[in-house]
Amino acid sequence: MHGNGSCRDQYVTRYSRQDVLRILHLRARQLTAWEQAGLISANEQYSFEDLSQLRTLRTLRATRISAKSIRESVEAMRKTVGMGNPLTEASAVGHGTHLSFRHNGALVDPVTRQLAFDFEAGSRRQLSIVGPEGHAVCHESDVQELFQRAVRLEEVPATVGKAAELYRQILAMRPGYAAAAINLGTIHYNQREFTMAEQLYRRATEADPEYALAFFDLGNVLDELKRLHDAIAAYQRAIALVPQYADAHYNLALAYERQGHRRRSLRHWLTYVRLDPVGPWANHAKAQARSILSSERLSIVSRAGRMVAAG
């Protein structure tokens, strides 16, 4: 992995497209959508930097920030600060429907070019983890360093076990570290240890009840466990937190169809098409919506209370 100049690439670990989907717990359609949105180049082989960028995009997917807004912020950050890849060289922070970046002790909104002191980063550097005897046992910066080491280990198949052990250490020091719980849960999910994955995803939702990604992942593992009713509740919670969460709408529509509730699925198919209108999964969602509309006699209640067939 070390080296420089023209010799460097021959030592860099490369990941296949299937490796990326497995490691990051992504669906192929999501990776294709990011490529079509210009957020990452379409490839069959990916570098570690690409994986880091995709991990950031996966986290941002579960926010109210659109792909268009992310792309505009990234391009503005490149022009404003001169970064080659802001998604890996700075820490992305969501603020409502906009994206800012932590950079040199400040929060930078590259589109408006506004700066603010990063109080959260400043306080994070001073925070200590306190043990049962009241002694500081680990600074927050140490926990962050452990987390980054675990992320790197996770992205190499041969060292996934070491990554899992580091995530366990982090959770022992800081039980409420939702991101560590999610990543460890995903390791168990990829190993088809679904019961353990469920426990970790639930731990993440309890640690951060506003973390839409945790509820989405929880829904996926509950679906694998054939607990469709619970999976639907988890997807619904993810959508309640982030109404623009396209993947959650897609999976919820699938779940409703598997329950036989085609009318309930219709709204989510249509919402998915509005949020993610291009690509094979959008085409599938459109086809499902057309099938429901053509085969079901949908009806609405008029103001007078009379049932009226929808045309």
Side-chain angles (χ1 to χ4, degrees):
M1 298 281 293
H2 296 287
N4 53 45
S6 60
C7 295
R8 183 181 178 189
D9 282 348
Q10 61 183 308
Y11 300 109
V12 174
T13 300
R14 296 287 173 179
Y15 304 90
S16 71
R17 199 174 183 86
Q18 286 305 311
D19 286 338
V20 169
L21 299 178
R22 174 184 57 79
I23 292 168
L24 299 183
H25 194 187
L26 287 174
R27 294 177 182 271
R29 60 185 169 83
Q30 180 58 73
L31 183 54
T32 300
W34 284 334
E35 291 166 348
Q36 292 173 339
L39 292 172
I40 192 163
S41 300
N43 289 305
E44 290 303 321
Q45 295 289 319
Y46 296 84
S47 67
F48 177 79
E49 182 180 0
D50 293 331
L51 256 68
S52 297
Q53 181 173 344
L54 286 165
R55 187 182 287 277
T56 300
L57 288 172
R58 181 178 185 267
T59 300
L60 292 173
R61 175 73 167 175
T63 69
R64 293 175 173 81
I65 306 172
S66 67
K68 178 182 177 183
S69 180
I70 294 171
R71 186 176 65 250
E72 290 174 349
S73 295
V74 168
E75 291 173 353
M77 192 70 174
R78 284 174 178 152
K79 294 176 183 177
T80 303
V81 182
M83 285 186 175
N85 192 340
L87 290 175
T88 59
E89 296 174 42
S91 178
V93 182
H95 287 289
T97 58
H98 300 285
L99 186 64
S100 297
F101 294 89
R102 288 196 174 98
H103 180 62
N104 290 339
L107 279 176
V108 182
D109 184 331
V111 176
T112 63
R113 301 195 176 185
Q114 292 181 334
L115 299 176
F117 180 74
D118 191 359
F119 291 101
E120 183 179 342
S123 62
R124 200 168 48 234
R125 284 193 292 270
Q126 303 299 321
L127 183 64
S128 296
I129 306 301
V130 178
E133 302 301 321
H135 301 297
V137 295
C138 187
H139 286 86
E140 177 69 8
S141 59
D142 296 329
V143 176
Q144 292 290 340
E145 183 180 347
L146 281 177
F147 182 79
Q148 292 303 321
R149 282 173 54 197
V151 168
R152 286 182 174 273
L153 288 168
E154 182 187 350
E155 290 165 354
V156 179
T159 56
V160 168
K162 293 180 180 178
E165 183 56 37
L166 278 185
Y167 286 133
R168 292 187 192 100
Q169 290 180 28
I170 292 167
L171 290 170
M173 291 186 292
R174 217 183 115 185
Y177 201 133
I182 283 183
N183 287 6
L184 181 56
T186 299
I187 289 174
H188 286 288
Y189 182 97
N190 290 334
Q191 294 172 344
R192 302 192 66 77
E193 296 168 349
F194 297 133
T195 300
M196 182 60 71
E198 180 196 352
Q199 292 175 11
L200 287 157
Y201 290 147
R202 286 196 183 279
R203 183 171 180 170
T205 64
E206 292 163 2
D208 187 352
E210 303 299 309
Y211 202 167
L213 177 62
F215 286 97
F216 177 74
D217 283 345
L218 178 61
N220 289 340
V221 76
L222 289 169
D223 194 347
E224 291 286 356
L225 289 167
K226 313 301 182 186
R227 290 160 55 189
L228 205 53
H229 178 78
D230 293 337
I232 285 172
Y235 292 138
Q236 288 173 332
R237 177 60 180 160
I239 289 170
L241 290 168
V242 182
Q244 298 84 6
Y245 201 161
D247 283 352
H249 283 285
Y250 191 99
N251 286 8
L252 181 55
L254 283 175
Y256 275 140
E257 290 225 343
R258 287 168 56 197
Q259 277 193 332
H261 299 312
R262 301 193 75 205
R263 295 188 183 189
R264 291 182 186 177
S265 72
L266 177 61
R267 178 168 69 89
H268 298 286
W269 287 130
L270 294 174
T271 301
Y272 179 83
V273 170
R274 176 173 57 81
L275 294 170
D276 197 359
V278 178
W281 292 272
N283 293 339
H284 177 257
K286 291 173 187 176
Q288 293 299 104
R290 282 196 299 268
S291 173
I292 295 168
L293 288 169
S294 63
S295 63
E296 299 266 345
R297 282 183 60 82
L298 301 181
S299 60
I300 60 174
V301 180
S302 70
R303 290 186 178 181
R306 181 170 54 88
M307 300 300 292
V308 181

